Amino acid sequence: MHWKQLNCMTDCRYYCMMQREEERRLGGLSPVQYHGKCPFKRVSVFQEPLSAALSALNLLMHFTDWLSFFLLVKYRLPLRPQTKRMYYEYTGLWHIYAILSMNAWIWSSLFHTRDIDVTEKLDYSSVVVVLGYSLIVTLLQIFNVKEGPARVMVAAPILVFVTTHILYLNFYDLDYGWNLKVCVAMGVIQIVAGVTRHTS
């Protein structure tokens, strides 16, 4: 299947969905989801044009923020005189976070442009990676973990969990409900850890 061409199955799904929704609208019924998705009208090759545009805008914002952070760290912040290393120990971690976030927004843009199996899996997987990595960075900063071996001890269980979850989604069951619960749980842990640390 070429990127801009729609294959027979997706065409059939789309036109059947739109026909069914028109029948529902004429019957005074509200829209329903098809194949786990809301019925959106295509615009050219864009399956969900607004979502694709907003994802691309998020990608642009993450890129400009990362670029400004990079320029700040590289050219404006002083280095430690003895080691010539930065005063802020988490700089490298934030660069990785920026790259992972930009990757997630790329796949989100592509997924909302063309919802096919590979873009869906990469979109969901990259979001889980960003949330897992964000949880790691949050815990490292909250507990002021600066040494390499200690960082590995904090990161290893989360990396194992995230990897297992991604493998589950991609090779066993792409369960939206379970994925949502996992993502919300990782987000709540970050918030609770941050609030607990800052209020103590």
Side-chain angles (χ1 to χ4, degrees):
M1 177 178 76
H2 296 287
W3 179 251
K4 290 187 177 182
Q5 293 177 336
L6 304 175
N7 67 19
C8 184
M9 185 176 75
T10 57
D11 259 354
C12 182
R13 279 185 176 178
Y14 175 74
Y15 290 116
C16 289
M17 174 186 70
M18 296 313 289
Q19 182 180 356
R20 182 74 181 120
E21 276 306 302
E22 182 61 23
E23 292 168 3
R24 289 182 62 80
R25 188 185 66 77
L26 293 173
L29 300 171
S30 61
V32 295
Q33 289 189 345
Y34 298 87
H35 310 287
K37 312 282 189 293
C38 294
F40 293 111
K41 289 193 177 186
R42 287 182 186 161
V43 175
S44 182
V45 297
F46 296 96
Q47 201 155 320
E48 299 171 16
L50 182 60
S51 296
L54 292 175
S55 293
L57 186 60
N58 265 314
L59 171 61
L60 178 64
M61 293 295 101
H62 275 78
F63 176 74
T64 56
D65 286 348
W66 170 74
L67 188 60
S68 67
F69 177 71
F70 175 79
L71 293 173
L72 173 73
V73 168
K74 183 79 174 162
Y75 298 110
R76 295 193 182 147
L77 294 182
L79 300 175
R80 292 181 181 177
Q82 298 87 2
T83 62
K84 299 293 182 199
R85 296 186 72 170
M86 293 174 208
Y87 282 101
Y88 185 58
E89 294 89 359
Y90 302 102
T91 302
L93 296 174
W94 286 116
H95 283 302
I96 294 169
Y97 177 78
I99 291 166
L100 292 174
S101 295
M102 288 185 284
N103 177 65
W105 287 114
I106 287 169
W107 286 113
S108 177
S109 299
L110 293 174
F111 170 65
H112 291 298
T113 299
R114 288 293 296 127
D115 178 3
I116 56 177
D117 191 48
V118 69
T119 58
E120 182 176 36
K121 287 180 178 180
L122 287 167
D123 177 40
Y124 280 74
S125 297
S126 58
V127 168
V128 172
V129 168
V130 169
L131 287 171
Y133 188 79
S134 179
L135 177 58
I136 291 169
V137 173
T138 299
L139 295 176
L140 292 177
Q141 284 195 305
I142 286 174
F143 297 112
N144 201 23
V145 180
K146 296 178 183 176
E147 300 301 320
R151 284 183 174 185
V152 171
M153 294 298 288
V154 171
I158 299 169
L159 288 174
V160 168
F161 174 76
V162 167
T163 303
T164 305
H165 180 65
I166 289 171
L167 290 171
Y168 174 83
L169 288 176
N170 287 305
F171 298 109
Y172 183 69
D173 183 20
L174 191 60
D175 185 342
Y176 305 104
W178 172 246
N179 187 51
L180 181 63
K181 289 175 187 173
V182 168
C183 291
V184 168
M186 285 193 285
V188 168
I189 291 169
Q190 289 178 60
I191 292 169
V192 169
V195 169
T196 305
R197 177 69 176 174
H198 290 296
T199 57
S200 60

